[in-house]
Each structure stands twice: as structure tokens, then as C-alpha cells.
Amino acid sequence: MNLFKRHTYKTAHETPWSEMEDADLLAHLRTAKHAEQAFTALYERYGQRILLYAVRALGEDDGHDVFQETFVRFHKTATANGAEKQAIANVPAFLLTIARNLCLNHKRNRKDTITPEEFDYTAPELAHRFDKQFENDDLMRCISIGLEYLDFEFREAFVLRFYNDLSYEEIAELTGTSVATVTNRIWRAKERLKKILTPYIDDLEQF
């Protein structure tokens, strides 16, 4: 079965799959008859949210890999039987947890930060990239470039808050930290972004 094939399906009662509750889609996902339709509906419902998190957290290449792997693992878990069967009470939270764990694995296997000396070295390249972005006055894309230079925990907190629209409490629950820690990480992420992007962006304060 092609897990990422896009289709529009209806049940025998002509109920659009896109309007079904997550719990019903999960039930159909475990059947042979409607598994592909149910998976497609969940993929289209939550795919953009997971892609956004993964790409902002890791960058384009690794982010897309994590995005695909997240749904592969989700499908495997959701359709497991016997001792491997696992209850999924909250689909978006479950998907985000899988994506986060995969991101953390990538983080452990690569250098994820940059020193001030290295930043000075790459500044001309960044300036060239920003010049291109400013042709469209695209502040958000400039911030995305700046995120690549943050420690993972600060980048993640910023992404979850401003790109995934999670509350401070939801971020704390997902990351296993306190609201105070989340607040501090977001503040530090914004301060570091300002420092990195100040030579190129004067109005970051409005974000």
C-alpha cells in the first residue's frame, strides 16, 4: 500500500472521510477494506502540521525525512495487533511526539549548533540569501534561516509556539519540562534570533 497516495474517498453511507472523527478513522485504519482511505484522511489532516515542525526543527532535508518516517511509524503503531497494540487517544499529539523523538535522534547524530566564529565566517553567504528573500519582503523566511543557528531546545520551543501554535502548557507537556522552562527557552530563542538577524532585519521586534 502506498501510504502517501492522495485520494478522496467516501464510505458506503457517503460520509466524507475528511469529516470523520479521528477515533473513527483509527478504527477504519485497522481494517483491510478502508485502511488506505483512513490513513489518507489523517495524513492530509495533520501532515502539514508535522512537516512544519520537522522542517523548522531540522532543516529541509532532515525535516522531510523525519516527516515521512513519522507517518510510517504512526501507521505501524496504529495497525499493530497483540502485544504491540497501543491506544492512541490524541492523534496530533501522538504524531508530534513521534516527530520530536526522531528529531532528537537526528540531533544526537550531528552537530546542531554553530559558534560565533563560524557564524562570522558564514555571514556573507547569509547576507546573499537574505538579499534574495527581501525581494519579496519575506520576514518569516529570514527567521527560518536564523532558526538553523539556534540550539535545538530553543529552536524547538520557538517552532512549537509560533509555527505549530501550541500553548506554553502544551509545549511543556510535550517536551517534559515546566512552563517556566518553556517561557525561558522561547524568550532566549527570540533574543538569539534578534542578535543573529539584526544586521539584516530592523523590525524583528514586531514578531
Side-chain angles (χ1 to χ4, degrees), residues 5-203:
K5 188 177 181 180
R6 292 177 177 269
H7 289 295
T8 299
Y9 299 94
K10 293 185 179 181
T11 67
H13 300 289
E14 296 299 311
T15 300
W17 289 92
S18 61
E19 296 178 8
M20 294 181 67
E21 298 291 334
D22 287 355
D24 294 329
L25 290 172
L26 284 173
H28 282 295
L29 187 56
R30 297 186 176 100
T31 68
K33 184 176 182 180
H34 296 302
E36 184 175 346
Q37 297 96 314
F39 179 85
T40 299
L42 290 168
Y43 178 82
E44 293 182 342
R45 184 173 296 174
Y46 298 115
Q48 186 62 28
R49 185 183 309 184
I50 301 304
L51 177 63
L52 195 59
Y53 167 78
V55 168
R56 299 307 183 201
L58 294 179
E60 286 288 336
D61 293 338
D62 289 342
H64 276 87
D65 289 343
V66 163
F67 166 66
Q68 298 285 358
E69 181 64 19
T70 294
F71 277 92
V72 169
R73 295 196 181 193
F74 167 74
H75 182 272
K76 182 178 179 179
T77 301
T79 57
N81 295 310
E84 296 182 356
K85 187 174 182 179
Q86 183 176 345
I88 302 175
N90 186 323
V91 172
F94 189 75
L95 284 166
L96 200 52
T97 298
I98 296 174
R100 182 173 189 267
N101 289 335
L102 289 170
C103 285
L104 288 173
N105 288 339
H106 274 74
K107 173 183 175 291
R108 295 187 188 101
N109 294 328
R110 76 176 197 184
K111 181 179 180 182
D112 199 62
T113 58
I114 187 168
T115 65
E117 292 76 13
E118 289 173 315
F119 179 76
D120 289 340
Y121 176 77
T122 58
E125 178 187 352
L126 283 173
H128 174 73
R129 293 170 69 182
F130 285 145
D131 286 341
K132 183 177 181 180
Q133 307 305 331
F134 272 121
E135 293 177 3
N136 299 317
D137 194 24
D138 195 345
L139 177 60
M140 295 299 291
R141 294 182 66 182
C142 292
I143 292 174
S144 296
I145 295 172
L147 285 172
E148 298 176 14
Y149 297 91
L150 300 186
D151 293 334
F152 180 83
E153 59 267 28
F154 304 133
R155 181 194 311 170
E156 178 187 47
F158 186 93
V159 167
L160 290 172
R161 180 72 185 107
F162 295 105
Y163 288 93
N164 291 87
D165 200 30
L166 267 63
S167 68
Y168 284 63
E169 292 76 12
E170 289 171 328
I171 297 171
E173 181 179 357
L174 175 67
T175 58
T177 58
S178 66
V179 172
T181 297
V182 170
T183 301
N184 179 264
R185 287 179 178 178
I186 291 174
W187 179 82
R188 293 181 68 180
K190 292 171 71 174
E191 290 301 305
R192 292 190 181 191
L193 281 173
K194 291 173 189 177
K195 183 177 181 180
I196 292 171
L197 300 179
T198 292
Y200 313 100
I201 302 174
D202 294 325
D203 57 347

